[in-house]
Amino acid sequence: MTITTQDHPARAKPEHAGRVSAGVFSPRQLLASFPDALRKLGPRHQRRNPVLFVVWVGSVLVTVFAVAEPSLFTILIAAWLWFTVLFANLAEAVAEGRGKAQAESLRRTKKGTVARRLLDDGGEEEMPGARLRVGDRVVVEAGQTIPGDGDVIEGIATVDESAITGESAPVVRESGGDRSAVTGGTTVLSDRIVVRITSKPGESFVDRMIALVEGASRQKTPNEIALTILLSTLTIVFLLAVVALQPMAGYSGSTQSVVVLTALLVCLIPTTIGALLSAIGIAGMDRLVQRNVLATSGRAVEAAGDVSTLLLDKTGTITFGNRRATELIPSWSSTPDRLAEAARLASLADGTPEGRSIIELIERDHPELTGEQGGEFVPFTAQTRMSGLDVGGRQVRKGATDAVRAWVARHGGTLPAEITHVSREIGEQGGTPLVVAELRDGTPVAHGVIRLSDVVKPGMRERFRRLREMGIRTVMITGDNPLTAKAIAADAGVDHYLAEAKPEDKLALIRREQEGGRLVAMTGDGTNDAPALAASDVGVAMNTGTSAAKEAGNMVDLDSDPTKLIEIVEIGKQLLITRGALTTFSIANDLAKYFAILPAMFLAIHPQLGALNIMRLATPESAILSAVIFNALVIVALIPLALRGVRYTPAGAATLLRRNLLIYGLGGIVTPFAGIWLIDQLVRLVPGIG
């Protein structure tokens, strides 16, 4: 067989198909979402949020008084209370609107497909894809759309998944192994496969994505529920305080109107965070989807923010997965050039990743060794454990140390002791040695050793350093022997490693970590990873993996990038920090409203309260109206922050707390003073108010 050299260009990095960054926000979105916000004004929707329901009831009550006893002050208060409810709905509508835009692009992938279902007798029948049931077997050939989620049980094919993942480069799906799962709506580009359907109609991967990004199936997370209970409790406390205020005001001879008491209540309860809470949760899910991660529950996103132990597979996650040639070590009787030339000849027709990496290493270090070369290729077999090339009067071989030693011995030679020593050292350091030898005119010559290493991906040490700054402990899981595992763990910079790991070992490690009160996250793609994915607090399954893995995990990475787990943890932390920061701001900005409304209510009978009017607001009416207007406008001002999220930087809990208290605590106190004062400057110009 005559062979020639071939180029092996690296596959170009695919680009996303026009997805918008999760942090992008424009005022145009507010206008586009305005009709949805109006539709949410009904009581059925408002009662889901206790804080906003109180505001809604107050708006109705003040509106009744504005109709029964009209006055400019009452009408303006009623209008701005309705604006408060409307702006709260607008925050949620904008978040949902971005999800609906994504859902619409996903719906376009759900075109009606005709499935070729295999019958028990070996025949085929055509039927609508929507009528397929779990367990049905369908045939898909080049150019056809896969009709439903399933596993490849026969054949191998390249599949275009750009409609789902946004990646333009095709992927390979084949029966057996951990790359058998296919998604309905994707297209087969080559060959023929048989797929066993694993999802019911309406419960496919795309269906679940559409429901999640639209927010239709979003459930409140435990943290969100706890915060809702806290906000409801604060609302009840302020409600009782305002109700108790009226008898005391009557005793003092300054009975307050229902309109003023309602304005006081709305300004004191945590309206801001109550309005933005739902939008923060929806935006957190949206940020994950923008990064091609599907979370089956908000609980998983929230748990990602509290993860303290991260389990990562070595192969394909920390390392490239394929052993690569990293060094050529010549023997004393040879030279680097001779070793490189022999290693190149032995690898020219070797299509394995290891063989290609040898060619790449030689082309980099010995660019003069290029061009075509004819000869008879000797393929690698499990019996010989060698490969090579016979050309002219030369026989060049590369392979395992003992295999090459036996080959040299058959031709009357011996392998130098230094070759054996170097091979042993490479093995002890976690690498794989390949010995290169040749038979020239009947005389065996050993040229040296090629070091193959499972190369750590660039930037991994920096990533793990960032995780340590977050307070997260990293554990590398590998089936390698302890010596190899130790060498790679030290090179990558992980905190700990688990060598010779079996599925039950992973599960036991997860349970030990959880018994210590820690939350555990891990990635996986195989059926053997399913138990550990199910046991983890955050289990990220690869989209290329098996259906069992995707069902067991609570997240699916559409890009099948195991290092994405680091981004998921950052998104989870950003979600928790955003919620905490805006809660702090919401509660802190109530302080300015005390100084605005309370002096205005009782200034007539207690002139000494004028000392508390530090903002020098014009009249009691302008003070109350300015506070209500600010209470509504601050919701709109914070919508971009709620959708984009508070920026997260790795730091300790104490550092993050100090920063948030300084920015959002102190800022929540100062901002309302300036805002209410500025609004009062405009309100005082209104006749009858100022």
Side-chain angles (χ1 to χ4, degrees), residues 72-365:
L72 181 60
F73 175 74
T74 305
I75 292 172
L76 289 175
I77 291 292
W80 281 101
L81 289 181
W82 281 114
F83 279 133
T84 303
V85 180
L86 181 63
F87 293 159
N89 293 337
L90 188 61
E92 185 178 61
V94 170
E96 290 179 351
R98 302 202 310 177
K100 289 176 180 177
Q102 295 179 41
E104 186 57 35
S105 67
L106 289 171
R107 279 197 181 91
R108 287 195 288 270
T109 70
K110 282 178 58 72
K111 50 190 175 185
T113 56
V114 176
R116 296 165 54 191
R117 187 167 74 97
L118 285 177
L119 303 176
D120 294 336
D121 60 5
E124 296 181 10
E125 70 169 349
E126 291 189 352
M127 62 184 299
R131 289 175 52 195
L132 291 172
R133 296 294 181 265
V134 175
D136 285 346
R137 294 172 302 142
V138 296
V139 177
V140 191
E141 295 183 341
Q144 296 179 345
T145 300
I146 298 173
D149 296 355
D151 289 324
V152 178
I153 59 174
E154 181 183 320
I156 180 172
T158 54
V159 180
D160 177 9
E161 294 187 339
S162 59
I164 305 297
T165 66
E167 302 290 343
S168 58
V171 296
V172 176
R173 294 291 178 264
E174 58 186 322
S175 59
D178 295 336
R179 293 182 176 269
S180 61
V182 291
T183 305
T186 57
T187 304
V188 172
L189 298 179
S190 69
D191 304 292
R192 173 187 183 274
I193 53 176
V194 177
V195 178
R196 180 187 290 116
I197 300 299
T198 58
S199 64
K200 298 177 181 178
E203 297 180 9
S204 69
F205 194 75
V206 174
D207 290 320
R208 283 185 291 160
M209 282 191 70
I210 290 172
L212 284 166
V213 299
E214 281 187 324
S217 64
R218 194 187 79 88
Q219 296 180 343
K220 289 185 177 181
T221 64
N223 184 282
E224 195 173 349
I225 292 172
L227 185 55
T228 300
I229 293 173
L230 172 63
L231 298 180
S232 301
T233 302
L234 289 174
T235 300
I236 293 172
V237 169
F238 283 120
L239 178 61
L240 294 176
V242 170
V243 170
L245 194 63
Q246 185 71 317
M248 290 186 287
Y251 180 79
S252 301
S254 180
T255 302
Q256 299 297 318
S257 69
V258 173
V259 174
V260 171
L261 291 175
T262 302
L264 175 64
L265 175 63
V266 170
C267 288
L268 295 187
I269 63 177
T271 313
T272 306
I273 184 60
L276 299 173
L277 191 57
S278 179
I280 293 170
I282 295 173
M285 299 286 286
D286 176 62
R287 282 192 290 274
L288 271 183
V289 173
Q290 293 286 355
R291 286 164 176 79
N292 273 0
V293 178
L294 170 65
T296 57
S297 71
R299 181 190 296 266
V301 185
E302 193 171 274
D306 288 328
V307 162
S308 53
T309 302
L310 192 59
L311 307 185
L312 296 149
D313 277 333
K314 182 207 74 173
T315 305
T317 304
I318 296 174
T319 65
F320 282 103
N322 296 321
R323 294 171 300 171
R324 293 171 175 242
T326 55
E327 186 181 8
L328 301 181
I329 306 172
S331 65
W332 66 269
S333 60
S334 186
T335 65
D337 290 341
R338 289 177 183 173
L339 172 59
E341 191 259 349
R344 176 178 178 270
L345 289 177
S347 305
L348 279 175
D350 187 351
T352 65
E354 292 85 355
R356 291 197 300 268
S357 73
I358 294 172
I359 295 294
E360 291 168 2
L361 178 65
I362 294 171
E363 288 179 347
R364 186 192 70 190
D365 295 343

Side-chain angles (χ1 to χ4, degrees), residues 427-443:
E428 290 174 349
Q429 294 168 2
T432 301
L434 292 180
V435 176
V436 179
E438 76 166 281
L439 192 64
R440 185 190 295 267
D441 299 326
T443 303

